[in-house]
Every structure is written in C-alpha cells, then in structure tokens.
Amino acid sequence: MDIRAKSGSGKKSTPAKSPKTKLQHVEQPKPLSFEFVPDPGSEDYSSLLKIILSEETQADHLVPLLKYLEQNICRLDVEYKTLVTTTLSINWLGNTPELISTFQAFVLNLVSAHMSYLKPCLRMLVKKFIPVEVNKLTASESSGIDTSHVHSLLKSLSEIVPMTVELLPKILEELFPYINKGVQVFSHYTQNLLTITLYLPSLRLGILELVISNMLKLDVRSPRVDISTAICVQEEDEINSRDEAMFEMDGETPGETEKSAELSVAERLAGSLPLAGTLDVMMNLCFKYIKDTCFVNGQLQWEVTKKLYRELLWVFDKYVFPTHESCHVQFLLLYICSFKEALSDGFIDYLWKKVTDPTAQCVYRQTAACYIGSFVTRAAFLPLRWGESLNFQRVITSKLNPLRVCMPIVVKTFASAARMHQLAFCDTIIERNNRCNLPVSSSKFSLEGGNKIHLESYFPFDPYLLPESSSFVVPLYREFHGSLPDVDPIEDEDEDDFLPEEDDKAMDITTMLGKSPVDLLHYSVSGWFKHA
C-alpha cells in the first residue's frame, strides 16, 4: 500500500475583490489527506517534503501526517531516508501537546522497526540541548528552556533499544559546544548532560569525563592573573561611576544613575572574559550536581557519595592531575572531600602513593606533593591532627632537606606556623642552609652549594576567583590574613651584609601568580605570602 499526500481535491478558486476596498481575501489552507506514498524522486514526493519543511504548516496538519507515517512505518526503509530525516526536523518541542506526543510515538515506532534510524534520532534529540538564537538569550533564560520531553523520549529509547547507551556518548561528545560559544550555550548543554545521568546512570562516568575535560580547556585559557585583574578593574570602574553619579545634576533618578552598578561581579566577568564567565557557570552547575547527588533531604547518602567520589577521582587522575596550571577545576575534589573525613583520607592516600611511586615521572611526583601541601593547607575542614600525623620534624631533618629547595617566603611561613603549633622547629636547619648558600668567588664551586636551586612551586588550591561558584568553596577554604606570624617587620641591623637578601625575590612570586581581588574574596595568593 502506498501513501501519498494531497491537499484537498477540486480547483482553486480565485478570490474575488471587493469593489469598495482594495483588501484581498486569502483562502485558508485545507487539511491534508493521505492516500499513498509517493515514490522517491517524484514531484509528489518533493511536494510532501516542502509541506513538512514549511514553517506555515500548522500542527493540525502535521499530526495526521505523523500518524499516517506511523501506521506505515514498515515501508519507511532506507529508500525513504530523506522523508524520515525531514520529518525528524519538525519543530515539535515547542509545539502543541498533541504534536509532541504524536512525534514521540512516531520516533519510538520508527526506531523499533528500523535500527538504522537510531543515530539520526539521537542526534536530533541532542541538538535540542543547544538553544536557538543564542545571541538573544541570557544564561538564566537559556537554562529555563524546557527539554523534559527530550529527556523522556531519550529514556524511552534507551528502554526499547539497548544500543542507545552505546551510541549516545559519542554523539554527546561530537555536539559539545566549542569554546567560542556563549555562556548560555555551555550552561544549557551542560545542564542537560548532567540530567541524562539521572535516568542513565551507566553513562555518568563518561559524561563527567566529557564535561570536566571541556572545563579544563576553559580553565587553562583563563589565567588567574587575568581574572584577578579584570575583577579589580571592574570594581574600580564601578566605584568611579558611582562617584561621578553623585555629582551629576541632570535630573536623573537614582535608578537611572545606578543602572550600570546593578550588574553582578559574575556578569561583568563574563563580559570582559567570556571563557572565565563560562567556566564559572559550569563550575556552579557541577557543584550543585555534586551536592544534589550526595544529599537527600539534608542527609548524606554515603554509598552514593563514595561512588561519585571514585568517578570524580578517576576523571581527576586522567585529566586534571596531568594538566599544567589548572586553577579551578580541581576544587571539585576539594568540595566532595569536605562531605566526610574518610574522603579526605582517600584523596591524600591517592596523592601520597604517587609521591612514593619510584616508577612515576619526577614531575608527577612533585605535582602530587604540591597537591598534598596545598590541600592540607587550604582545606578548613581538616582537623589539626592532620599536621601532627605528618611528622614534619622527621621530614625537614631528612637528607633531602626540603627547606633548602623551597622558596624563602614559604620556608619562613612554614617555620613560623610550625613553631606556633609546635609541629616542628626549623630555625637551626634554616640557619645551616643559609650558611651553605653563601656566595662563592668562582663559578667552579657552583655545584658545591654556591647557587640556590629552588623547586618550581605550584599551589593547586590557590584562592578561588570565580565569583558565582565561589559560594561553594569559601565556607570550606582556609584564608590567610595579615603579615607572617612571628616575623619582625624591622630587620636586625646587625645582620651580616654578605648574606643574600631573600625577601624581595621571594615576594616577586605574588606578581607571577597574581593576587586575588581583596574586595571580593579577602585573602591573598597561596597563603604563603604577605597580604598586600
């Protein structure tokens, strides 16, 4: 049996013009009737495709077409691929409930009868996660687009066709927005990807891998110095604009003069540094996802949390840990470790195994050590017993002599803090190292200690600068204020002149790593440095 679409029978009548007016009466389109399928390549076939593609075709015309195609689903083989793909392009999501339900039924029956159409159907559904006319949408409006019908159809497809979970991850990766897309595109797409994990938990690890790896691309392209500078400049501009508005006497209302000041820090950051703004939104979505997954009615779901922690740690090991100069993505691990002390124990144990692995590359062992130091220093939820269990006195007196290769400002801060909490006493070792670093008269003695060799310092958990998502980090973060403890601002006048001055060189690191905006987060960089 063939099906062919016709528009109603009979000749088209020419509308009569009224002698009194020049307005022309437009004939309303008649409902479509279906009798047989046109052969591919025929004139009727082309006409049917035009009807489906036409924006003027209304839902009450498309519903009977979809129902008739569904009744003849077995005939829609590869020969009718153009007709099927055209039908799948219908704007069904934002249409009437009848059209939505009819379209969903058509897709389910189509895939059940012809597996070859599964991939085009999945691509069509995933494309719905990318908002249309993104230049006219803000991030909040984009996140409000209803895609619940897409998810219900995806869930039904996965139940009917098990092959769905095999094809979907690759499609999600292929259609993931490029970094030059707007914040609303990333926000909407990421939110929908995380929603998929709620009804397809077997895909969660792959989706977390996809999201975090793309967040890293944004992170490494958003240097800490640029973010800090942009926020500080915007804060200064806002203060200046407010000061100027106070002296304006042009009759403007307060709402008009302060309109520009109403923009949030996150919105201003997204305007000046789009990649950093996009990363901020994605980090915020990930933090919310972790919290909503691990807590139900305020109660921690331990088994669920352990599974999510293992998946995040796997992604961290594969992508985040080897990435040089990532600034913010690693805070996802710090956040989930704050839920229970056992998670922090596991994270430290994972890093310590890398430090002590003799087969690992030196750069990875050093990076793991930096992660341990930064995590223990910055995680406010860790108890003081952590410092006692690390046996600092044995570490600093070892043959490796770590205080000799650390930056001078780090050594001073550590010595003061260790002395205050009675964790270790470093003064004797520091004095001995200073004597070993005396200048020499000839370069031939450079290998015997004449030149200092400082290890490259990396602080993975330096202050979190992204404004919108910082609310998840600040309560868990240990801040450092003021000057170094037990450091006399007046230097000893009797100090030997031949000793090298270390303070100026040490403080240059603050410029290299960048400073946090004091007005925003109220702490300095790396905790080892004086608060400027």
Side-chain angles (χ1 to χ4, degrees), residues 22-39:
K22 295 184 179 180
L23 296 177
Q24 183 178 6
H25 174 71
V26 179
E27 183 180 4
Q28 297 297 327
K30 298 180 180 180
L32 300 175
S33 61
F34 308 98
E35 296 179 359
F36 53 94
V37 166
D39 296 329

Side-chain angles (χ1 to χ4, degrees), residues 432-452:
R432 184 182 65 190
N433 291 338
N434 288 337
R435 289 195 296 270
C436 293
N437 291 328
L438 292 178
V440 294
S441 58
S442 176
S443 60
K444 68 179 180 180
F445 298 104
S446 60
L447 297 179
E448 300 179 1
N451 291 337
K452 299 181 184 179

Side-chain angles (χ1 to χ4, degrees), residues 170-341:
K170 185 63 175 178
I171 295 175
L172 295 176
E173 181 180 1
E174 291 175 354
L175 296 180
F176 202 97
Y178 191 61
I179 58 174
N180 63 349
K181 298 297 181 181
V183 59
Q184 62 276 10
V185 177
F186 278 92
S187 173
H188 196 58
Y189 197 84
T190 303
Q191 180 63 68
N192 282 281
L193 259 60
L194 296 176
T195 302
I196 292 176
T197 64
L198 302 180
Y199 55 87
L200 293 177
S202 62
L203 300 182
R204 187 171 71 179
L205 178 59
I207 289 178
L208 289 175
E209 181 180 357
L210 177 61
V211 171
I212 292 177
S213 62
N214 280 275
M215 288 167 59
L216 273 175
K217 296 178 183 179
L218 299 171
D219 199 2
V220 297
R221 289 173 171 83
S222 304
R224 184 181 300 275
V225 175
D226 292 351
I227 298 176
S228 178
T229 302
I231 295 178
C232 289
V233 169
Q234 292 164 2
E235 291 289 344
E236 293 176 359
D237 292 342
E238 180 182 348
I239 294 175
N240 293 335
S241 63
R242 288 179 178 177
D243 292 341
E244 293 175 359
M246 294 178 60
F247 296 98
E248 289 182 356
M249 304 298 294
D250 53 1
E252 293 181 350
T253 62
E256 294 174 343
T257 57
E258 299 180 1
K259 185 176 181 180
S260 60
E262 294 177 357
L263 294 177
S264 66
V265 178
E267 291 173 331
R268 294 196 301 269
L269 177 62
S272 58
L273 295 175
L275 298 184
T278 300
L279 177 63
D280 193 8
V281 171
M282 294 182 69
M283 288 293 295
N284 197 52
L285 291 174
C286 289
F287 282 133
K288 289 181 179 178
Y289 175 79
I290 294 173
K291 181 179 179 180
D292 295 341
T293 301
C294 298
F295 288 90
V296 176
N297 298 326
Q299 298 296 323
L300 179 67
Q301 307 300 306
W302 179 230
E303 294 300 324
V304 175
T305 302
K306 284 195 298 184
K307 185 177 181 181
L308 179 59
Y309 164 78
R310 294 191 189 102
E311 294 174 348
L312 287 174
L313 187 62
W314 186 89
V315 177
F316 172 86
D317 182 76
K318 184 177 180 181
Y319 292 98
V320 184
F321 182 80
T323 301
H324 181 63
E325 295 296 339
S326 62
C327 301
H328 296 92
V329 178
Q330 56 264 27
F331 278 85
L332 296 177
L333 263 297
L334 183 141
Y335 180 67
I336 195 172
C337 285
S338 68
F339 295 165
K340 199 167 185 177
E341 189 174 332

Side-chain angles (χ1 to χ4, degrees), residues 36 145 227 363 369 491:
F36 53 94
I145 297 177
I227 298 176
V363 64
E491 297 182 357

